Amino acid sequence: MTWETVIGLEVHVQLATNSKLFSGSSTNFGAEPNTQASLYDLAMPGTLPVMNEEVLRMAVSFGLAVDAEIGKRSVFDRKNYFYPDLPKGYQISQLDFPTVGRGSLKIQLEDGSEKVIAITRAHIEEDAGKSLHEDFQGMSGIDLNRAGTPLLEIVSDPDLRNAKEAVAYLKKLHSIILYLGISDGNMAQGSMRCDANVSIRKKGDTEFGTRTEIKNVNSFRFVEKAINYEVQRQIELLEDGGRVVQETRLYDSDKDETRSMRSKEVANDYRYFPEPDLLPVVIDDAFIDAVRATLPELPGARCQRFIKQYGLSEYDADVLVSSRDMAEYFEAVVELCGDAKLSANWVSADLLGLLNKQDLTISESPISPQALGILISRIKDNTISGKIAKTVFEALSEGEADVDAIIEARGLKQVTDTGAIEKLVEDVIAANPDQVAQYRGGKEAVFGFFVGQAMKLSKGKANPAQLNELLRKKLSA
Amino acid sequence: MALNNTDVEKIAHLARLQISESDTLEVAQRISNILTMIDQMQNVDTSQVTPMAHPFDASQRLRPDVVTETDQRDYFQKLAPATQDGLYLVPKVIE
Amino acid sequence: MLSKTVAELAIALANKDVSSVELTQAYLDRIAQLNPTLNAYVTTTPDQALAQAAAADALRAAGKAGPLTGIPIAHKDIFCTRDVLTACGSRMLANFTAPYDACVVERLQAAGAVMLGKTNMDEFAMGSSNETSHFGPVQNPWDQTRVPGGSSGGSAAAVAADLCAMATGTDTGGSIRQPASFCGITGLKPTYGRVSRWGMIAFASSLDQAGPLSKSAEDAALMMNVIAGADARDSTCLDIPAEDFTAQLNQPLTGLRIGLPREHFSDGLSTQVQEILQLAISKLESLGATFRDIDLPNNHLSVPAYYVIAPAEASANLSRFDGARFGYRCENPVNLEDMYKRSRGEGFGDEVKRRIMVGTYALSAGYYDAYYKKAQKIRRLIKEDFDTAFHDVDLILGPTSPHTAFKLGEKNSDPVTMYLEDIYTIAVNLAGLPGISLPAGLLNGLPIGMQLVGPALSESRLLNVAHQFQLHTDWHTQRPEV
């Protein structure tokens, strides 16, 4: 039996505002418990929500970035349930009239083809606080610092057909969010969280199978593993003649399995109704246009520009625009050194290799774009050779900052003085009479040997072009 | 609309209200009376009427994204039934 | 002295006939004497009051006194008052000293008013007789076997019994106007959004509005000048320029067109009340107003629609009372659900629980359309009735309540009987309109109130008409023998 997997994702993105969605509390991560929980966040009697305008701007900018319909009149609703991390006993969310309506996102599949994933909607809502389950005399501790942090919940249609597509979609979403600067996208800290709705059906069926929802998976890798596990579980279940039960499941990354969250199985009746403390949010075209005017260049457009403007290959351009920080880093390097091709090589090969090895993001790079730009300039103006540049790069990666100082202090400057190189060449020729005879006897291949010897003698500093030229001249003489 | 004991128990659970078994019947009757009064609405044809959530057709005023709150944890937590290490304590939350 | 209006007291203070400290002490003495039986106050704050009074006197000496400087007032216990018990008539909050001041409290304090204490009320403002209060019922100063009305019963009784010069109240379905009617005083429910709800413990957010209970329309205007106006902390509060509500008080009533809703003068209203209202109508006619009959055809649906919308909003508004962060927590909860259910089951009274359950039911899956959505549609019909009426008339006049104050315990057996008490006031809240109740006569020694309702933001006009009426009648100066 061939099965087809059907996946829809609900992604919660914490918006990177200074203050909360409905209160003036800070949203900083990692503060002492409840020090960022104001009267409103604690749901003190008599307190009221007042919406943060930046949240609206961020939501609209996301909507524009995914070509979505923007809700000109969005309405907040109360979603009612009791939980200690939900102080008001209801979450303010958007049910029928979200700020962002239908949109779409293009992803690249492994075979290089493209696929369009429909975005159902994206709505604004409040984050909950945190329950800490360490033992407080058998009680739980509640920290409400996170309560009320603005979230954008981005819901996709069930268009994804395997875990890899799901991850590609997530990564694309992640990149757009970082480009827009509306979230730090930090999955480990929970700034971006993913719930996956997973079902399977016989290939060719048009009806969807029963789905399960996998909650709060906090890395790209775990999303892939959790979906793969869940798909396998459902296939085995169905092939054994069983049924998939619609339920919420939790992914356990230690055991690499999903398991049923029984406590949440009790059918919830959220009793949504329009939030009477908040009037509808009405947006006019001028507002939308103003947001549009502030949109940064998005990855797709930037990739095309890199190909056109810098003559990069599609592959290189794609790597460089995968994050806004990287693309900006690259452009800063090009601006300094003026050589796009060399810059692309250094950034996508050497720098990325270094960052991967040290598990750093580009914004944490020990080498500044200025330093890398100067380094490449020094190759271009013949101060150092490409090979020596690797040595300088290594010094930069270990914390030194000044490219010219490194070259100076270690005496790495390329030898371009014709006299000095002539001397080198003469020494090498004098020291290797056998090879000279071979060369002159027509064995051209020995030329490389002379280059190597001369370079070795110069400690790699001889200008390769000059060296080549002089060697040929002297050997032919 | 008349409610029975099961309805009352279901609603009381949703609303997290303890209703003693001996009171359930009376609560059911009183709420049923209220619903009967409310059901006068059902005779009116409102198929062409837009629901009104709010007295005015106004739109929401927003605030700038500025942190205005300072830490008043100790003051606020004096009101709490139980706290420890800055956390509000509640009976164990089971995931 | 204590029966004087705020406007009169302001003159006495300005003339140095009395100091604010003396006035405050006199009210405190009277409270100490009468409150044990009337039960109008839940909390008194004598030390704070005298300190505020002394500060007010100092301000006056410095030549910086405003109209309310040094005037002793009371706040309904629904308004948060920093470090002062704010119990909202409930066991749930019987230990709750609010950590902040409500906007209304803050503004009156800034205007120099002296807070004598917090007044009794129906639990979470849910009631029309003040009998659902955890702190016991309030007695009507006109007849101590009768209710003062509700939910702002304590404030109305305190004003009527001269236990304060003026008081704040809140009105969700008639909670300022009906007790004002029962206690023979003036009560104004402003346009929804006129007064900030920040710090006012929510009952039904789309209906709640704060306003004055006072001895005259002029006093109500003086309080409105202080409490009305935009507030950044309440995004439903109207962002309109400040208004001087006293400016139009003396405008003549010539040309004023007043509508008399047929539905308010029909079977449900006794002939005696009709006769009293007829006298008031004649008085207003003599002052230049003209009258005509109008229709509010959906008025009879206002009580059903209200008893869906208000409980639905309340069911969510009261979810925060969960025993976790403030307020009542039951003894030794065995688990989380037990903490929720018993804290709420024990902390809330029967009427509050009933309304939470009705609201929960109306919003629950399968019933939302038939109840909540239906009620919202009825709400629009009711508002449209008023819109239509105000094409032809400037204001609407009718009874505030079908009758005078009823006996304590008389209407407790069936909630629905109590709900129908608000048949004339509730539609005004659903439509968000301003309404005022003012004394129009006495029936068997008990006050009868008449209600004036205007279009949105017509408070100045309402106060103008009420003030003109009060210049030519003395019902508002009648005081009970306590």
Side-chain angles (χ1 to χ4, degrees), chain C residues 44-58:
Chain C
T44 50
T45 48
D47 296 344
Q48 190 179 323
L50 289 167
Q52 285 179 350
D57 285 334

Side-chain angles (χ1 to χ4, degrees), chain A residues 271-322:
Chain A
R271 289 159 284 135
Y272 279 96
F273 74 104
E275 162 60 284
D277 283 329
L278 293 167
L279 299 161
V281 177
V282 177
I283 304 176
D284 58 12
D285 288 329
F287 181 89
I288 295 173
D289 290 343
V291 174
R292 200 190 306 275
T294 65
L295 285 187
E297 187 182 26
L298 291 168
R302 188 167 257 182
C303 183
Q304 290 311 307
R305 178 168 65 81
F306 278 13
I307 293 168
K308 232 171 116 184
Q309 180 179 346
Y310 299 124
L312 300 184
S313 71
E314 186 162 353
Y315 178 82
D316 279 350
D318 212 46
V319 169
L320 290 172
V321 301
S322 66

Side-chain angles (χ1 to χ4, degrees), chain C residues 249-260:
Chain C
L249 287 177
N250 292 312
Q251 202 176 294
L253 303 189
T254 322
L256 178 71
R257 301 166 304 163
I258 301 181
L260 301 172

Side-chain angles (χ1 to χ4, degrees), chain A residues 48-108:
Chain A
L48 296 166
V50 183
M51 190 187 172
N52 183 341
E53 65 183 2
E54 185 65 9
V55 174
L56 184 63
R57 205 195 57 74
M58 287 179 168
V60 170
S61 74
F62 174 79
L64 294 173
V66 296
D67 292 322
E69 298 161 23
I70 302 300
K72 292 264 181 83
R73 185 175 175 279
S74 37
V75 176
F76 284 101
D77 298 278
R78 291 184 181 178
K79 177 182 182 181
N80 295 285
Y81 63 95
F82 285 88
Y83 210 67
D85 62 14
L86 187 73
K88 295 190 292 289
Y90 54 85
Q91 179 194 31
I92 304 181
S93 182
Q94 296 176 324
L95 182 66
D96 292 328
F97 303 98
T99 297
V100 178
R102 285 196 77 78
S104 64
L105 202 61
K106 221 183 270 171
I107 60 169
Q108 267 76 37

Side-chain angles (χ1 to χ4, degrees), chain C residues 16-38:
Chain C
K16 308 260 162 52
D17 297 340
V18 68
S19 72
S20 176
V21 169
E22 290 163 350
L23 196 56
T24 300
Q25 189 59 58
Y27 277 115
L28 289 171
D29 292 345
R30 189 169 166 85
I31 293 167
Q33 183 201 340
L34 295 179
N35 198 58
T37 48
L38 287 178

Side-chain angles (χ1 to χ4, degrees), chain C residues 174-198:
Chain C
S175 283
I176 287 175
R177 292 159 290 157
Q178 185 252 24
S181 171
F182 281 12
C183 291
I185 61 168
T186 303
L188 173 70
K189 181 245 158 216
T191 307
Y192 183 85
R194 262 293 190 190
V195 181
S196 168
R197 294 184 293 118
W198 176 257

